[in-house]
Structure formats: structure tokens, C-alpha cells
Amino acid sequence: MGLRANPTYRQRRFGAEVRGIRERAGFTAIRAAQAMGMNASHISTVESGRTSLSPDRLRRLTSASGGEDATYVEGLIELGGESGKGWWTEYREQLRPSLLDLAELEDRAERIVCYEPMFIPGLFQTLVYATAGYRGGYALASPEQQEREIDFRMQRQRVLAGERSPQIHAVIHEAALHVSWGSPETMRDQLLRLIEVARMPNVTLQVLPFDGRVGFGTSFTLLEPAVPQLSTVVVEHVERALYLGEAEGLARYRNWFARLCEAALPPVVAATETEAFLVKNSLGLIQRLLYPLL
């Protein structure tokens, strides 16, 4: 099998984790190659994500290093052995690789947490809201390309109610609930959809109010698979999304999200007692904004 010309994020992440194991053990490429019974020149292609590594060789490396948790090793073997194929595969020649990477991460996540300061999270958007956002945005794309990306965003929402649906916890700044795209009806239907999604058993939704702690100006999403060490933070940027997987970055964003949760209003709950409306909470705030639009 030839070398990959354009490795996916998952493939690059696998290679980066192999490099981390080697470096933590203090192994040179030659020493690691000896432990795995392979040519030293092959190490760099594995660590760059351009080729894979068999489970047997990975286990031999971690056995020689002697310092890796067994659960982490098995999770890494699973990561490296995945095909990378899914519903997103049909978009491979049509969309930016970073979008496909995001869909693959969402598909294998057990928990997704996200913060949005200005927009409704993509997983919660209605078709009309998403279309208005693309049509009124700043990205220079043809109508055909916009249609493909809108369709892709709607397809991503299948993760909400799939067989292995992850737990999803979102904090949305109140500013995102005031942005009006297209028409009042667009925002009305979007707020109704937001309440509907927030009442799903695997979704937790909180609103960060204007009168609370100053929120971040940049959205981010933390995607956690079965092995938390293999999590990824996706930080949205006007130029391109940043994919972060190092331990320090993961810890930093987990801490920031915890602080946002503390500052946000109590979450929307499926069964809200009448007395609960006497307390300021996320559902009450969304409904207060919704009533004038009805």
C-alpha cells in the first residue's frame, strides 16, 4: 500500500500519539524500530500519519516503553484501525477536509461539549436558519458549494439520535438568541427547535446571560471518545479551524468549559415544574425571547 498524500486528522492524530509514546520512552527512531521489528525509515511515515501501524507492532512498542495505560493503548489501536468511512465519505471530493474530520470525530465521540457566543450550534440548527447563515455570511462560495455545506450540516445532526448518540452539553451565549437571520419566523422556529433538542435525554443546554460573566469571543467544541486522552478540541477561526489534541490544551479547554457552565443559567430540563419559572433559568430566557415572535 502506498503512502497517503493527504492524511485525515484521525490518521495524523494516530501518528502523533505514536510519536508521543516514543518520546516519552526516550526512544530514538532506531530504538523504536528495533522494538517493533521494522525499518527505522518507516517510523517517520507512521508518525506523520502517512501510513498505519499494526496492533501487534504498537503493542510491542508500548510494551518496550513500559509506561502506557492499557486502556489508552487499546483505544489507540482502535483509532488506528478505523476505516474512516461513514456517511461523510460521499462528500470527500466536495468539501473541505476539516469538515469531514469534524463529522468523523462526532461519529466516534461519547461526549461532545461546545460553547457558542454568536450562533446556534450547528447540530441544533434548523434548515432555514442554517441556509440564512450561509447566504448572509462572509464566506466566498458559489451557491452550489453553499448548498453542499448546508446539506452536510443537516446530515451531521443524525448524531443526535443515532444508535450510539453521544452526551451533548452546549453553552450558548444569550447574544446568539438575539441574532435575527432572514425573518422573525426563522428565529421563532429556531428557538422552538432549540427547546425541542434541549429536552432530548442526551442533550444538556445552558444559556450564558448578558448579565453574567463575560464569555469567550471564540466558539469551541470538545469531542471525547471512549478514551479521554484521545479527545480533540476544535476551535473555530475565521481562517481555519484549529484541531488540538495535546494534554495541556485539552485540560485548558475542559477547565474553561467548566467555568462557563458555572456562570451560565441552569439547564433546560425535560419536565419543568411550574415553580421552576420563578427562578431564572435557560428555558425561561429562551421562552421570554420566543413569545414576541409567536
Side-chain angles (χ1 to χ4, degrees):
M1 182 181 295
L3 298 179
R4 303 168 182 137
N6 299 296
T8 64
Y9 170 79
R10 177 185 56 80
Q11 292 162 344
R12 296 194 305 273
R13 178 62 182 277
F14 176 81
E17 294 294 325
V18 172
R19 181 175 62 251
I21 292 171
R22 177 177 65 79
E23 292 176 345
R24 286 192 294 273
F27 288 172
T28 63
I30 294 176
R31 175 69 182 88
Q34 290 173 342
M36 291 186 285
M38 59 191 293
N39 193 303
S41 62
H42 191 55
I43 296 293
S44 63
T45 60
V46 171
E47 294 182 356
S48 65
R50 299 180 65 201
T51 190
S52 192
L53 194 62
S54 71
D56 177 65
R57 281 179 164 162
L58 181 57
R59 288 193 179 99
R60 290 166 68 179
L61 175 63
T62 56
S63 177
S65 70
E68 302 300 334
D69 177 76
T71 301
Y72 164 72
V73 173
E74 293 306 310
L76 187 55
I77 289 173
E78 182 179 350
L79 179 70
E82 291 175 354
S83 69
K85 295 181 179 179
W87 63 264
W88 56 89
T89 306
E90 63 183 274
Y91 295 87
R92 184 147 291 169
E93 302 301 323
Q94 306 173 34
L95 301 178
R96 304 187 305 275
S98 61
L99 291 177
L100 307 180
D101 289 336
L102 176 60
E104 186 175 4
L105 287 172
E106 290 173 338
D107 182 72
R108 62 186 299 272
E110 291 198 352
R111 183 170 182 258
I112 300 174
V113 305
C114 67
Y115 167 67
E116 281 288 350
M118 284 298 296
F119 309 112
I120 304 301
L123 292 179
F124 303 160
Q125 292 180 7
T126 65
L127 174 60
V128 175
Y129 180 95
T131 301
Y134 271 94
R135 294 287 186 263
Y138 295 97
L140 299 179
S142 67
E144 294 76 17
Q145 183 66 17
Q146 290 181 355
E147 287 297 329
R148 283 191 289 269
E149 295 200 14
I150 293 168
D151 179 64
F152 185 80
R153 179 167 295 183
M154 294 298 103
Q155 291 295 329
R156 282 176 50 213
Q157 295 182 6
R158 64 176 67 190
V159 76
L160 288 170
E163 293 182 1
R164 299 180 294 105
S165 297
Q167 292 296 312
I168 302 175
H169 190 164
V171 174
I172 306 174
H173 198 284
E174 184 180 348
L177 308 180
H178 287 268
V179 176
S180 181
W181 285 346
S183 67
E185 290 74 23
T186 297
M187 204 61 201
R188 177 200 64 196
D189 293 342
Q190 179 59 73
L191 292 178
L192 288 171
R193 173 59 177 165
L194 198 59
I195 294 173
E196 176 186 353
V197 171
R199 285 176 164 161
M200 297 178 71
N202 60 316
V203 175
T204 300
L205 173 65
Q206 291 180 261
V207 175
L208 184 65
F210 283 129
D211 58 1
R213 181 182 298 174
V214 176
F216 282 43
T218 302
S219 63
F220 64 85
T221 301
L222 172 63
L223 302 113
E224 297 184 332
V227 179
Q229 288 169 268
L230 298 175
S231 300
T232 299
V233 174
V234 180
V235 184
E236 296 296 336
H237 190 271
V238 66
E239 293 291 339
R240 62 184 179 88
L242 302 177
Y243 284 67
L244 309 175
E246 72 279 4
E248 295 80 4
L250 293 174
R252 188 165 60 248
Y253 278 91
R254 285 189 178 109
N255 179 58
W256 286 340
F257 187 76
R259 294 169 65 185
L260 286 166
C261 291
E262 290 176 0
L265 298 173
V268 175
V269 294
T272 303
E273 300 294 338
T274 304
E275 293 79 5
F277 290 100
L278 300 176
V279 180
K280 189 175 182 181
N281 56 50
S282 297
L283 177 60
L285 177 54
I286 295 172
Q287 290 180 321
R288 178 169 59 80
L289 297 174
L290 176 62
Y291 288 151
L293 300 175
L294 295 177

